[in-house]
Amino acid sequence: MANYTTFEAGSWNDLGQHIFKLGDLKGQGKLFLGDLLKTTGCEISMNRIEAGKSYLFHHKHRQQEEIYIVVSGRGEFQIDGEIFPVQEGSVVNIRPAGVRTYRASSEESLCYLCIQATENSLTSHTIGDGEIVPGKVEWPAQRID
Ligand code: ZN
C-alpha cells in the first residue's frame, strides 16, 4: 500500500460541483476530504461560499477544534456573536464550544480550507515529529512545463 493518497478536487471556482446537502448549503461548495484521502488524525474540507451568501445556521462542536485557512476572497466570521472580517491569508482556530457562522462579501466568494482535529490531541508541534531521511534528492527531467 502506498504511503500517500491524492485526490484532484478541481478548481475552487467549480467547487459547487461537490454538493454537500446540509440546510441551505445545497449547491454551494463543500467537499470533505477525509474519506477521499483516508486521513486518520484530522478531517479537512474545501469550502466556497458564493458572493452575497451566508450560512443560515450556527454550529459548534463537541470535541473538534476547527482551523480555517482562507485561500481567496473576502467575508466575515461570526463567533460567539463577535463579527470580524477575513480575507486571503486569514487563519482562524475556533475551539469546539465556539458558536460559529460565516458569510462571503457581497462581491467576492469566500474560499477556505477547514481542518478539524480533536482538541488537545496533538503530541508535538512544528517539526518535532519529522526526521531527515539520508540520501541525495534527485528528480527526473522536468515533467511539468
Ligand atoms: Zn464545524
Side-chain angles (χ1 to χ4, degrees):
M1 187 171 112
N3 283 322
Y4 65 92
T5 305
T6 67
F7 176 76
E8 294 294 334
S11 167
W12 283 89
N13 286 332
D14 297 329
L15 205 55
Q17 68 182 302
H18 307 289
I19 295 174
F20 177 71
K21 295 180 180 177
L22 177 63
D24 198 48
L25 291 179
K26 182 181 175 189
Q28 296 206 42
K30 185 170 190 68
L31 176 62
F32 283 105
L33 297 171
D35 285 344
L36 294 167
L37 295 178
K38 301 176 176 40
T39 59
T40 63
C42 70
E43 175 62 273
I44 183 166
S45 61
M46 298 172 69
N47 301 269
R48 183 174 191 271
I49 303 174
E50 296 292 328
K53 300 279 188 175
S54 169
Y55 272 48
L56 297 179
F57 58 89
H58 299 272
H59 82 285
K60 63 180 182 176
H61 281 262
R62 295 180 190 91
Q63 302 176 54
Q64 312 282 68
E65 62 185 5
E66 289 186 318
I67 301 93
Y68 295 80
I69 305 168
V70 177
V71 297
S72 70
R74 293 186 310 116
E76 290 179 312
F77 276 32
Q78 184 179 143
I79 305 169
D80 295 333
E82 186 175 331
I83 297 169
F84 58 92
V86 294
Q87 60 195 342
E88 180 179 333
S90 295
V91 182
V92 183
N93 180 16
I94 307 177
R95 281 165 274 294
V99 175
R100 66 207 71 177
T101 194
Y102 347 87
R103 69 176 177 178
S105 73
S106 57
E107 290 156 14
E108 290 181 61
S109 296
L110 182 66
C111 295
Y112 57 93
L113 293 165
C114 179
I115 300 166
Q116 283 184 31
T118 301
E119 186 176 45
N120 298 317
S121 66
L122 193 62
T123 56
S124 64
H125 283 86
T126 62
I127 59 172
D129 187 55
E131 58 183 88
I132 300 295
V133 177
K136 182 179 175 197
V137 174
E138 295 181 60
W139 293 92
Q142 194 75 33
R143 292 183 296 174
I144 299 172
D145 294 323

